[in-house]
Amino acid sequence: MGVLNVTPDSFSDGGRFADPDAAVAQGHALVADGADWVDVGGESTRPGAEPVAEDEELRRVVPVVEALAAAGVRVSIDTRKEAVARAAVAAGATLLNDVSASLGDVAADLGVAWAAMHAQGDPATMQLHPTYEDVVAEVRDLLVQRAERAVAAGVPEVWIDPGIGFGKTAAHNLALLAHLDELVATGYPVLVGSSRKAFLGQLLGTSDGADGPAATDDRLEGSLATATWAMACGVAMVRVHDVRAARHAASVVAGEITRNAAA
Ligand code: HH2
């Protein structure tokens, strides 16, 4: 799944694709690089992000979804808003990527796939004091509960996502990545988005010549390592900015290593 943020303020590609033509061109570039899905988002959910008004989010995403879907691209819509989800599906999106895990009934009503992501708190405050007794069990149990409800409501395809970086410390993220097998064992297809996230900056250390954690555009190795790890754990899809590199990593893991493991 390739990330396409039609926003001025997303943490890694904010502002680059705010113009609809540039966004559509980037969507096609992601597909050319090997993306099966293009995930269109019009509201940044990075830590500290301010909410975006509904009409503004609609203005950002609908033309882009429409153009990509009309060209045969499989489009998911990354939103927390029912009205945006409905408009995007009317424009051709077929997967609701829902970081609030609250739009299951909307997906059922529309008859489209739904990805339920775990988050603790809202983007504005979620990184202040994330707290869990057992992060893996709590994330898994909440996702399974939401997924079961969605299946019962008639959602045709339900994905679960641990929500790396959404109300989680670096230690929480690493615990979730270390125990992805527990999410895979639920039987729901698992989606993971670790690409360029802040904990990778902390793990990778400073960028050349800079103070503080590695910059967002200097987190490729960590993004690929975690995407590859996730695929090796049986995760069905990774949400990434660097599609070509992730695709190459996936072909090594899924094609060659998995084939040898099964032989
Ligand atoms: N992460 C982000 C946004 N949407 N959706 C899913 N399912 N899983 C994720 O981990 C996830 C997501 C945040 O990343 P990004 O879109 O690159 O940045 P921003 O929220 O600043 O637009």
Side-chain angles (χ1 to χ4, degrees):
M1 173 184 273
V3 179
L4 181 54
N5 288 314
V6 193
T7 60
D9 60 343
S10 288
F11 77 91
S12 94
D13 56 355
R16 288 184 58 205
F17 311 115
D19 166 64
D21 291 341
V24 172
Q26 173 65 3
H28 286 296
L30 293 170
V31 172
D33 281 348
D36 291 327
W37 288 91
V38 172
D39 187 41
V40 177
E43 179 186 48
S44 174
T45 47
R46 74 183 195 289
E50 292 295 330
V52 172
E54 189 174 285
D55 56 348
E56 173 62 13
E57 193 176 332
L58 285 165
R59 190 192 65 74
R60 291 178 185 176
V61 297
V62 170
V64 177
V65 172
E66 209 158 38
L68 290 173
V73 175
R74 279 205 286 179
V75 178
S76 68
I77 178 69
D78 185 350
T79 189
R80 301 181 286 167
K81 296 188 183 73
E82 175 172 348
V84 175
R86 288 186 181 277
V89 169
T94 52
L95 168 62
L96 301 189
N97 177 24
D98 177 9
V99 303
S100 67
S102 65
L103 299 175
D105 288 343
V106 179
D109 186 37
L110 295 169
V112 295
W114 179 57
M117 197 202 76
H118 179 280
Q120 187 181 84
D122 281 327
T125 55
M126 67 190 178
Q127 289 307 106
L128 296 181
H129 301 291
T131 314
Y132 302 84
E133 288 203 358
D134 180 342
V135 67
V136 176
E138 286 170 49
V139 167
R140 181 198 58 213
D141 292 351
L142 182 122
L143 290 173
V144 167
Q145 188 193 60
R146 299 277 166 98
E148 282 173 354
R149 209 155 66 198
V151 169
V155 179
E157 186 180 311
V158 178
W159 292 72
I160 58 171
D161 181 329
I164 298 297
F166 281 80
K168 281 132 193 147
T169 62
H172 294 142
N173 292 327
L174 292 170
L176 287 163
L177 289 169
H179 294 282
L180 285 173
D181 56 333
E182 294 193 29
L183 291 183
V184 171
T186 64
Y188 293 101
V190 179
L191 166 64
V192 170
S194 55
S195 185
R196 300 186 185 172
K197 286 192 175 167
F199 78 109
L200 296 175
Q202 294 167 26
L203 286 179
L204 296 171
T206 55
S207 299
D208 290 344
D211 290 331
T216 45
D217 59 359
D218 200 10
R219 298 176 187 166
L220 177 62
E221 297 91 338
S223 302
L224 285 180
T226 48
T228 305
W229 165 258
M231 290 183 271
C233 292
V235 160
M237 183 149 69
V238 287
R239 181 182 181 277
V240 300
H241 301 82
D242 302 289
V243 169
R244 191 177 139 82
R247 190 84 212 185
H248 286 169
S251 69
V252 172
V253 175
E256 305 310 325
I257 298 178
T258 311
R259 215 182 352 265
N260 276 283

